[in-house]
Amino acid sequence: MRPFVLILVLAATSVAHADLPDSVGSATFRGENAALTLGFGAQIRTTSVEGDSALTLHRARPAFLARFLDDRLRFRLHLDVAPRALELLDLFVEGEPSSSLRVRFGIAKIPFTLHWDQGYLAIPFVDWAPTTRWITGRQLGLTVFGDTGHWRWAAGLHHGATLRPANGQRLPRVYGEAPLHRLDLRDPAPLGRLRPEVVARVSHHAGPAAVALSGALDLAPHRIRDERLRVALDGHLHWPALDVWAVGALALTENGDGDAILGYGTALLEAELRPHPRFGVALRHSVVVRSNALRRDARRWAMEQIATTDRSRERYASVGHTRAEHEATVAVNAYVIGSDLKLQADASWLRTRGDAPTDGWRVRVQANLGF
């Protein structure tokens, strides 16, 4: 851990007055009627939790973007080939019928909050907040995007199953069940039956400010895997020296009787101060609160599984115990070459409240490389 912290400090002081570019830039090959852009992003991370440290290649993501018809038709393939996961991330085709309309079909991020539209290399923390991992993710579907200047909107019809366990599959864990990885290229879980989900977002942009209202309605939710309804409101303020995000969300789920219940709520507030273009300090606080109704239903599910299956009681020992999860994080960033070559370190206080409250600390240091 110490060598990485030293590198971060030295980098922050040495690049402050260096004449360096703002980005590495991607590799583009152009033909007469098409263009192919190759990109790559990697993150080398060391994590220390309660004194135990681990060094990993956390992400290694090649991306391919083919463009046709003067960039009005595009095809994107995005993978992760890090040792921990060989998986598909994005696979879609999109086109622009007009200057204000864009249509996308395939596997991609759903249009739920503006905050989720950010790239993983651009965020000012080592990784996404826990709240983001609860409320949004990637799905297979058709999405239409519109842009009328200050007002922008997106609406889509999706399969309903969140495809990666990293984001959008926290609800199964509440019930003591494992998430499903449908984009694992070695052993993918089956996609399952169609559970149509309508996702929509409308946003207003004016100068440095933007605000968005997002909604996702699942027309045939699975009790322990899908929220029936999610609603989120997020806002963004961006100046060269200050970047602020605020996101709040609520989710309705279903209980064992098929009734809608308030499942959980999330709140996120984060800000980064950039006193120099190549140095930033960021603060974040996020909280996820599970309703008593959700906790009761999770305990009911656990008791049913213990009584009717051969699953062990230990598997469900902690189901329904957690009431709230807090994360408070402070981060420092050295933008050696913008976000394409960036060194980061963050420290987090992790608090869990409920029947068995806990407190813990986590420290992470990361090197980011992208082009």
Side-chain angles (χ1 to χ4, degrees):
M1 177 71 72
R2 291 179 182 176
F4 283 91
V5 175
L6 180 60
I7 291 172
L8 182 70
V9 174
L10 293 176
T13 56
S14 63
V15 305
H17 302 288
D19 186 15
L20 295 170
D22 293 327
S23 66
V24 175
S26 54
T28 300
F29 306 91
R30 299 186 182 277
E32 184 176 349
N33 300 307
L36 176 64
T37 298
L38 306 179
F40 184 76
Q43 294 178 319
I44 301 173
R45 178 185 304 178
T46 179
T47 303
S48 179
V49 179
E50 304 297 331
D52 295 327
S53 298
L55 176 65
T56 60
L57 175 60
H58 189 74
R59 292 183 174 102
R61 296 184 170 182
F64 307 87
L65 178 65
R67 293 171 288 167
F68 310 92
L69 303 176
D70 297 326
D71 200 24
R72 294 183 63 183
L73 180 64
R74 296 177 292 274
F75 172 83
R76 176 174 168 85
L77 171 64
H78 190 196
L79 306 167
D80 196 333
V81 297
R84 69 185 184 92
L86 178 61
E87 58 184 333
L88 175 66
L89 298 174
D90 299 312
L91 179 64
F92 62 79
V93 60
E94 66 178 11
E96 296 182 2
S98 70
S99 59
S100 60
L101 201 64
R102 177 164 49 101
V103 181
R104 174 185 294 171
F105 176 75
I107 297 169
K109 289 182 175 183
I110 62 173
F112 195 84
T113 75
L114 294 174
H115 186 267
W116 179 230
D117 280 354
Q118 298 179 97
Y120 67 95
L121 291 173
I123 60 177
F125 301 89
V126 169
D127 217 333
W128 297 99
T131 50
T132 304
R133 300 197 178 282
W134 274 77
I135 63 174
T136 193
R138 282 176 164 85
Q139 290 192 28
L140 171 65
L142 175 69
T143 307
V144 181
F145 300 84
D147 186 345
T148 59
H150 292 306
W151 288 97
R152 302 173 192 174
W153 58 270
L157 179 63
H158 297 80
H159 180 278
T162 300
L163 301 177
R164 297 182 65 237
N167 297 290
Q169 293 199 48
R170 288 303 187 266
L171 185 61
R173 302 169 201 247
V174 174
Y175 287 84
E177 303 301 331
L180 299 176
H181 198 336
R182 300 177 174 93
L183 297 181
D184 190 324
L185 296 178
R186 294 165 298 192
D187 185 22
L191 189 59
R193 65 180 179 85
L194 177 66
R195 302 194 296 271
E197 184 171 49
V198 178
V199 182
R201 182 183 70 207
V202 60
S203 59
H204 186 265
H205 304 254
V211 62
L213 177 65
S214 304
L217 175 64
D218 196 312
L219 303 179
H222 186 290
R223 173 189 173 191
I224 69 164
R225 297 204 172 272
D226 306 315
E227 296 87 347
R228 177 185 284 190
L229 175 67
R230 286 167 290 153
V231 179
L233 181 66
D234 68 322
H236 184 207
L237 290 173
H238 176 70
W239 293 282
L242 181 64
D243 196 67
V244 180
W245 285 96
V247 186
L250 288 174
L252 299 182
T253 61
E254 285 193 353
N255 62 18
D257 300 320
D259 299 325
I261 59 173
L262 177 61
Y264 60 85
T266 71
L268 167 68
L269 181 62
E270 66 179 43
E272 183 186 27
L273 178 65
R274 299 276 290 271
H276 188 279
R278 302 200 182 279
F279 178 74
V281 179
L283 297 172
R284 177 174 78 192
H285 185 266
S286 70
V287 59
V288 179
V289 179
R290 308 176 188 182
S291 72
N292 289 332
L294 178 62
R295 297 170 66 197
R296 285 194 299 270
D297 192 61
R299 284 194 288 264
R300 174 181 171 183
W301 168 268
M303 292 300 101
E304 291 172 351
Q305 301 312 299
I306 293 172
T308 60
T309 70
D310 58 356
R311 296 175 181 177
S312 67
R313 189 172 291 272
E314 289 76 15
R315 173 173 176 170
Y316 298 99
S318 61
V319 168
H321 288 187
T322 300
R323 167 66 173 167
E325 302 166 63
H326 297 260
E327 182 209 64
T329 299
V330 58
V332 292
N333 298 286
Y335 296 88
V336 182
I337 304 179
S339 291
D340 289 346
L341 180 56
K342 178 171 64 174
L343 301 178
Q344 299 178 284
D346 67 20
S348 300
W349 169 52
L350 308 172
R351 164 171 282 191
T352 299
R353 285 293 173 260
D355 297 340
T358 63
D359 288 280
W361 289 91
R362 180 189 64 208
V363 177
R364 302 178 293 190
V365 181
Q366 180 167 271
N368 299 264
L369 173 63
F371 64 84

